[in-house]
Amino acid sequence: VTQTKTPISFCPFNQNYTIMMKLAVIAALAGSAAAFAPAPVTQTKTALSADLSNELGAQAPLGFFDPLGCVADGDKENFDRLRWVELKHGRIAMLAVVGYLTTYAGVRFPGAEDIPSGFAALDAIPGMVWAQMIATWTMMEAANQDQYAAPWGLNMNSLDDSPAEFKGDFRNGFLDFGWDKFSDDAKMRKRAIELNNGRAAQMGILGLM
């Protein structure tokens, strides 16, 4: 009887890492799919029911792509929330791609010249730098929101109604860069460009990771 021995892998870390990265990619794709696809919208008589097939993000080549049925009930409020979640992840991913490529090119802050790029930097960053980064992330999170509805949508302030045109509009009556001069069609094109760039950046940073 001929016995066949199954080869044993001596690199369980590499296997586990590969599996984790595959799961991360699948999870990211599933999350991004929540707002763009041809799922039948159940017509109800509630005020929340809406046709989402023409909303921002439902564009070529996939159109309205929602294979998980996350917005199949036509709940516009839930759709807007998911769209904002995607937009925010896209903005973070765009910053992440730029930061990754910048450090990979060798650009460093003074005193950090010996810190490697990519994941190798995680073990080389001093504790005080971690503290500074966490403090910076906290301040950015606090600043990049609708201050008229701050903090974090609880409306615990004395400001008037928010002038934001959509979830993710953080101009707060201060920053403009000519946005108010754009036509409605131009605004939708600009928002679609940002959304698509964010989608590409999410895939890009996963690939770099």
Side-chain angles (χ1 to χ4, degrees):
V1 178
T2 303
Q3 294 183 347
T4 303
K5 295 183 178 180
T6 302
I8 300 176
S9 172
F10 294 96
C11 299
F13 174 78
N14 290 337
Q15 289 181 343
N16 292 336
Y17 180 78
T18 302
I19 292 172
M20 287 190 295
M21 290 308 302
K22 289 182 178 179
L23 290 175
V25 172
I26 292 172
L29 290 174
S32 296
F36 340 96
V41 177
T42 303
Q43 298 296 329
T44 66
K45 295 182 179 180
T46 65
L48 294 176
S49 181
D51 179 10
L52 306 176
S53 60
N54 295 319
E55 291 292 327
L56 177 71
Q59 53 203 37
L62 296 179
F64 183 64
F65 186 66
D66 181 21
L68 300 180
C70 295
V71 290
D73 58 357
D75 189 333
K76 184 65 165 59
E77 183 177 352
N78 183 48
F79 176 88
D80 290 340
R81 182 187 66 81
L82 292 174
R83 169 63 72 239
W84 156 235
V85 170
E86 181 192 17
L87 179 62
K88 182 172 183 178
H89 280 83
R91 289 173 176 175
I92 294 172
M94 286 188 279
L95 291 173
V97 169
V98 173
Y100 193 104
L101 295 178
T102 300
T103 55
Y104 190 82
V107 179
R108 297 289 188 278
F109 284 113
E113 292 83 358
D114 296 332
I115 296 180
S117 60
F119 281 112
L122 296 179
D123 295 330
I125 296 177
M128 284 304 299
V129 176
W130 275 111
Q132 293 171 16
M133 289 195 301
I134 293 173
T136 301
W137 296 336
T138 302
M139 290 187 293
M140 291 176 65
E141 182 69 19
N144 287 280
Q145 59 177 298
D146 186 351
Q147 298 298 332
Y148 287 79
W152 290 280
L154 299 178
N155 295 301
M156 297 174 62
N157 58 57
S158 59
L159 299 177
D160 297 328
D161 293 336
S162 172
E165 297 181 8
F166 55 90
K167 288 183 179 296
D169 179 2
F170 296 153
R171 291 175 296 151
N172 292 308
F174 177 69
L175 298 174
D176 182 59
F177 299 111
W179 177 262
D180 289 333
K181 298 179 181 179
F182 292 143
S183 65
D184 290 341
D185 289 340
K187 289 181 179 180
M188 290 300 291
R189 285 196 301 272
K190 296 290 186 181
R191 292 178 61 191
I193 290 171
E194 181 187 21
L195 194 60
N196 274 342
N197 286 341
R199 292 172 179 174
Q202 290 177 75
M203 297 298 102
I205 193 60
L206 282 174
L208 290 172
M209 291 166 61

